[in-house]
Amino acid sequence: MTKVVNYISEAFEELKSNVTWPEWAEVQRLTIIVAVFSIVFALATWGVDEMCAKAIEGIFNLIKS
């Protein structure tokens, strides 16, 4: 158990002293970019899904008649 505690304390020390953290303004800017692209890709995925659903529905309607 002491190895686990030692590992965690060393990991936190590494994060405090050796990691270069970005500025808050950069974090906000990049978060907005990720959010916008996520929404765009979600809408694109939804659009392709709707087109495929309509195509499959059309194929089944042709088979039925």
Side-chain angles (χ1 to χ4, degrees):
M1 185 67 174
T2 57
K3 287 183 180 183
V4 173
V5 172
N6 189 30
Y7 173 79
I8 292 173
S9 66
E10 287 178 4
F12 275 112
E13 184 60 36
E14 182 81 17
L15 287 172
K16 283 189 225 174
S17 60
N18 296 336
V19 174
T20 304
W21 296 97
E23 296 295 322
W24 183 243
E26 183 181 10
V27 171
Q28 289 176 327
R29 183 178 60 84
L30 293 175
T31 301
I32 291 170
I33 291 171
V34 168
V36 168
F37 276 106
S38 295
I39 291 169
V40 168
F41 287 131
L43 290 173
T45 301
W46 173 77
V48 169
D49 181 55
E50 286 295 316
M51 287 190 306
C52 289
K54 296 288 183 191
I56 291 171
E57 183 180 340
I59 291 169
F60 282 138
N61 285 337
L62 283 174
I63 293 172
K64 277 173 139 179
S65 27

